[in-house]
Amino acid sequence: MQTILGANGQIGEELARELKRNFTSDIRIVGRNAQKVNDTDEVFLADLSIRENAVEAVKDSEIAYFTLGLPISTSLWEEQFSLITRNVIDACKINGTKLVFFDNTYMYPQDGRVLTEDTEFAPVGRKGKVREEMTAMLLEEMNSGQIDAVICRAPEFYGPGKTQSITNTMIFNKVKEGQTIEIPLSTDKRRSLIWTPDASRATALIGNTSDAYGQTWHLPVDNSHPTYAEFISLVSEIYGKEFEFTIVPEYIFQKGAQSSTVFAELLELLPRYAFDNLFEDAKFRSRFSEFHTTSYREGIEQIRNEQTSIKKKQ
């Protein structure tokens, strides 16, 4: 049995498909409103902020994947995320279950340095501190030998389907609606974005590789690291249409934060758009050299095709 905690989000859903394709049909889907992804999935409804529920959720599981997400609400993150992480860690220890922890980069410094698995944590903002606390909690258990676990870390997403990210919102959603593309702070900083299906496929691969455990892995990205200006130019080429874009300065976000919770929650993430944001994946590429990483061209073409298909059905 392999169990996905938070399987109906953008990472967990594709993870369930990948596990079914290449590793196992014995999959349990866990969440407050969990639904089957594959026909053969077992569904377990649970609020993982309740310890007993977490223990039951991973019972009889060889591997549990933590892909659970929460709405971008700082207060909710502070109230729930570390508690849920603690419960899941304890549940895996009690059941003898291996844990695959899907992580992000919020705890890293946002100052232009190249990010590797060894980069020390220096979170900017309250959400970053929550993610640092969650990861530090797991690392302590891993280092003491209390749990067999592995950390899979990904930078900002872009992708098809359910993918939610600043890039999808400000570029592909705008393209879909025929609106001007909006980019935060600068279009000349180099960026690392991960294709969401790649993140899920790589997580499944690591989770089913015994010698990958006890480590942190940066998941694979297209290593061309384009600026947003270069990325939008590629979007224009693939769509066959020149897209206009505008830069949204910081003061607009600050002004918007006075009346919009969405803008307020985005403020602490802005520093990463003021500097190059380069994510190094050499460790993964060396160990899993046969893994195909989706290029930006391939990814953008798939998003275009998906949008075209949806329009035809409307």
Side-chain angles (χ1 to χ4, degrees):
M1 173 73 72
Q2 298 196 21
T3 294
I4 306 175
L5 308 172
N8 295 120
Q10 54 197 347
I11 296 301
E13 192 169 288
E14 182 59 33
L15 173 61
R17 295 192 185 99
E18 178 65 13
L19 291 176
K20 171 75 171 178
R21 279 193 296 262
N22 290 308
F23 298 103
T24 182
S25 296
D26 196 7
I27 300 168
R28 179 182 295 152
I29 305 294
V30 178
R32 294 188 182 189
N33 301 294
Q35 297 179 349
K36 286 186 177 184
V37 177
N38 309 296
D39 290 342
T40 54
D41 292 343
E42 172 188 323
V43 173
F44 187 91
L45 301 179
D47 177 354
L48 297 176
S49 67
I50 300 172
R51 188 174 187 273
E52 293 77 11
N53 287 357
V55 173
E56 283 299 311
V58 302
K59 187 177 180 181
D60 300 322
S61 300
E62 176 191 1
I63 303 171
Y65 299 84
F66 187 108
T67 63
L68 184 143
L70 292 175
I72 299 296
S73 163
T74 299
S75 59
L76 183 62
W77 281 34
E78 291 173 335
E79 176 186 341
Q80 292 280 312
F81 244 153
S82 292
L83 171 63
I84 291 171
T85 302
R86 179 75 267 167
N87 289 345
V88 168
I89 290 172
D90 288 347
C92 288
K93 290 166 64 176
I94 290 169
N95 286 287
T97 301
K98 294 190 288 188
L99 177 61
V100 180
F101 186 80
F102 190 87
D103 205 2
N104 67 21
T105 60
Y106 284 19
M107 76 293 292
Y108 279 150
Q110 299 180 19
D111 57 8
R113 76 184 73 180
V114 176
L115 304 174
T116 73
E117 288 90 345
D118 296 323
T119 299
E120 62 185 58
F121 297 165
V124 176
R126 291 162 60 190
K127 284 189 283 291
K129 290 178 181 178
V130 171
R131 294 301 309 197
E132 177 188 32
E133 182 179 348
M134 294 166 64
T135 306
M137 186 188 307
L138 178 56
L139 284 171
E140 182 178 355
E141 298 280 358
M142 291 167 63
N143 293 336
S144 66
Q146 296 297 306
I147 190 171
D148 196 7
V150 61
I151 296 172
C152 300
R153 186 166 294 140
E156 183 185 332
F157 304 138
Y158 85 106
K162 290 185 175 183
T163 301
Q164 297 179 1
S165 69
I166 289 179
T167 295
N168 266 48
T169 299
M170 293 196 161
I171 296 182
F172 295 109
N173 290 2
K174 297 292 186 181
V175 165
K176 180 181 178 181
E177 300 300 327
Q179 300 173 352
T180 299
I181 293 171
E182 297 177 324
I183 300 300
L185 305 192
S186 171
T187 59
D188 63 2
K189 306 303 180 186
R190 299 177 66 202
R191 310 215 56 73
S192 300
L193 303 172
I194 191 165
W195 179 247
T196 46
D198 282 2
S200 299
R201 290 192 302 115
T203 297
L205 178 59
I206 289 171
N208 286 276
T209 303
S210 58
D211 64 7
Y213 281 76
Q215 306 174 58
T216 296
W217 295 85
H218 275 190
L219 300 181
V221 299
D222 179 333
N223 281 330
S224 61
H225 305 299
T227 65
Y228 267 134
E230 292 168 340
F231 189 84
I232 294 168
S233 177
L234 182 57
V235 171
S236 296
E237 177 188 335
I238 290 169
Y239 277 73
K241 178 181 179 181
E242 195 69 28
F243 292 109
E244 296 182 357
F245 63 86
T246 184
I247 297 173
V248 183
E250 184 175 358
Y251 79 86
I252 294 294
F253 285 92
Q254 292 174 336
K255 183 177 180 180
Q258 297 174 13
S259 57
S260 167
T261 56
V262 174
F263 274 92
E265 294 293 346
L266 286 174
L267 272 180
E268 72 178 66
L269 304 180
L270 285 183
R272 69 179 58 201
Y273 299 95
F275 300 93
D276 287 344
N277 187 255
L278 302 181
F279 186 83
E280 176 58 66
D281 64 359
K283 177 180 173 180
F284 181 94
R285 288 176 179 271
S286 176
R287 175 62 181 81
F288 302 103
S289 58
E290 295 183 359
F291 185 94
H292 173 73
T293 301
T294 302
S295 69
Y296 287 119
R297 178 174 292 277
E298 291 171 324
I300 294 167
E301 286 176 348
Q302 185 169 329
I303 293 172
R304 178 205 59 193
N305 293 342
E306 182 181 72
Q307 291 181 345
T308 300
S309 177
I310 291 172
K311 283 183 179 180
K312 287 181 178 179
K313 293 178 181 179
Q314 292 175 342

